[in-house]
Amino acid sequence: MMPHSFFVRILFLVFTLPVIVFCQSTLRGKVVDAVSSETLIGVNVVIEGTSLGAATDIEGQFRIVGIPERIMSVKASCVGYEQKTIEIDFSKSKEVATTIQLKATVIEGEEVVVTAQMRGQIAAINQQVTSNTIINVVSEEKIKELPDANAAEAIGRLPGVSIIRSGGEASKVVLRGLSSKFSNITVDGVKIPP
């Protein structure tokens, strides 16, 4: 035999379910571009104040069910378009069909600042261009700008230059894969060991 509380719950459900199910409306429609009338894919359409919503499919169409039968605000939004909110009275009809037109908008990003190289690097590039023997030049100012621990790390950024590390820090410079004994390095005209 069924308990009394279980029987009361079943009766409650049987009598209230039709009221809950039949007091809801459906919204279907499509979203198009206001100028070209092309259908828009992936537009979010939501019923404001509820958790109901949908996104337009590949044909620009959407369908939302279970909407309360009263005047509700419907908002459509998409990247690159102005969002649009319209009022729809769902108490007049169980199924409402609409077409929402969105206007294109411009998306502004943050300002980007481009700066020129410092005087020292410009002089180094000019020296490299006018020389018959020099291939790469790195100015003192450019080396100071780099986040390297020492000059060997900075020079290791040049093409054809490798570095040998000792204890994690660059200690020797290798040019074009040759041993350091084949390299001749001068700083301000003074020969130094590679």
Side-chain angles (χ1 to χ4, degrees), residues 170-192:
S171 61
K172 292 185 179 179
V173 175
V174 178
L175 300 175
R176 309 245 181 245
L178 298 173
S179 172
S180 59
K181 67 181 179 180
F182 297 111
S183 300
N184 184 13
I185 299 175
T186 59
V187 175
D188 293 330
V190 179
K191 185 175 179 183
I192 60 170

Side-chain angles (χ1 to χ4, degrees), residues 31 42-46 75-79 81-84 102:
V31 181
V43 177
N44 293 318
V45 181
V46 295
K75 181 173 74 173
S77 61
C78 181
V79 174
Y81 287 87
E82 293 177 6
Q83 71 178 14
K84 185 173 186 178
L102 296 182

Side-chain angles (χ1 to χ4, degrees), residues 121 123-138:
Q121 188 61 20
I125 290 172
N126 287 336
Q127 183 183 5
Q128 177 179 327
V129 169
T130 58
S131 174
N132 292 333
T133 57
I134 299 174
I135 296 175
N136 285 313
V137 177
V138 179

